[in-house]
Amino acid sequence: MENYAQQYADIKKSMRKDEAAFNKIDRRLTQKINNEDFKVIDADQALQENYTFGKRLADKVAKVGGSWGFVISFIVFLVGWMIINVMQLFGWHFDPYPFILLNLALSCISAIQAPIIMMSQNRAGEKDDLDRRNDYHVNLRSEEELKLLHAKVDLQTKYNKHQSQLNQLQMEMLIRIEASQREKNIEDNLQSEKDD
């Protein structure tokens, strides 16, 4: 019986170590999740915090300037300008054939529109950069969580093995106790028969 008691104590000791390791992994997992290095930033909110009038204007100009509606209406405007000046409709002839005034207007529009669109693209690049950083942090955090969860599953397997050993030991002890009890009952019955 002493052998069973020692085995039982050893298994229980191993199980307590496993439980301590579980708790340690839980604490590490909680720390990793709450770690500032893994914090995800709301990209839209971060960009809204310094969203000035100029940036709003750049976004609107880029949105309008990059649409089919703008392209089609601008083509209609150019064709209308040329028709009015070549055919002298309504008696207007303010920009004769090489359309120097039209070229000047187009150059000015291009000179202003291009940097404004680039400003808007820079804002989109900032958002992409924040999204990329968030993805990196999420991936890093997931990797750490997976490592810890894998360690926890390994510990759970080990703990279950110890639990199984403990159950087997208890069964062996019960069988031995029952066998011992039966032997004692048989001896008591034989003794009582002899006494009769």
Side-chain angles (χ1 to χ4, degrees):
M1 235 14 185
E2 258 182 54
N3 186 27
Y4 286 123
Q6 183 60 42
Q7 287 179 1
Y8 185 83
D10 290 343
I11 292 172
K12 282 302 248 183
K13 183 178 177 183
S14 295
M15 290 174 76
R16 280 193 295 276
K17 284 182 183 177
D18 292 344
E19 288 170 359
F22 273 127
N23 292 335
K24 184 178 178 183
I25 288 174
D26 282 339
R27 283 192 306 274
R28 285 183 58 202
L29 186 59
T30 303
Q31 287 173 347
K32 291 289 184 183
I33 289 172
N34 294 330
N35 190 337
E36 288 296 319
D37 293 339
F38 300 135
K39 289 292 181 189
V40 176
I41 299 166
D42 183 2
D44 292 326
Q45 182 182 0
L47 290 174
Q48 288 295 332
E49 288 174 0
N50 56 3
Y51 197 51
T52 62
F53 172 75
K55 290 180 179 181
R56 277 195 303 274
L57 182 63
D59 286 345
K60 287 179 183 176
V61 168
K63 188 175 184 179
V64 170
S67 67
W68 277 108
F70 175 78
V71 171
I72 292 169
S73 62
F74 202 69
I75 289 172
V76 168
F77 172 75
L78 291 176
V79 170
W81 180 288
M82 290 177 202
I83 289 173
I84 288 172
N85 282 292
V86 169
M87 301 180 100
Q88 299 179 8
L89 293 178
F90 313 114
W92 294 346
H93 189 61
F94 53 89
D95 191 17
Y97 167 60
F99 307 119
I100 296 172
L101 185 59
L102 178 61
N103 284 326
L104 177 65
L106 292 175
S107 297
C108 290
I109 289 172
S110 296
I112 293 170
Q113 188 181 23
I116 291 174
I117 290 173
M118 289 180 72
M119 283 186 254
S120 179
Q121 288 176 340
N122 287 341
R123 280 189 30 78
E126 289 174 17
K127 185 176 186 311
D128 289 344
D129 188 45
L130 286 173
D131 287 338
R132 183 190 53 78
R133 269 192 244 145
N134 281 342
D135 289 344
Y136 172 74
H137 289 298
V138 167
N139 290 341
L140 197 60
R141 179 177 163 180
S142 296
E143 182 180 342
E144 289 296 319
E145 288 176 5
L146 283 174
K147 284 179 187 176
L148 291 171
L149 289 174
H150 185 66
K152 197 171 183 178
V153 167
D154 289 345
L155 269 174
Q156 183 66 45
T157 303
K158 189 177 174 185
Y159 185 84
N160 289 345
K161 181 181 174 189
H162 289 138
Q163 187 70 39
S164 176
Q165 288 173 340
L166 188 63
N167 290 341
Q168 185 179 359
L169 184 64
Q170 289 172 339
M171 287 298 287
E172 288 174 12
M173 288 171 61
L174 282 173
I175 290 170
R176 188 163 179 197
I177 289 170
E178 283 180 2
S180 173
Q181 189 67 35
R182 267 190 258 128
E183 286 176 12
K184 186 176 180 204
N185 287 342
I186 291 172
E187 285 177 12
D188 287 344
N189 286 341
L190 288 175
Q191 185 66 32
S192 68
E193 285 178 8
K194 276 186 184 179
D195 290 342
D196 286 338

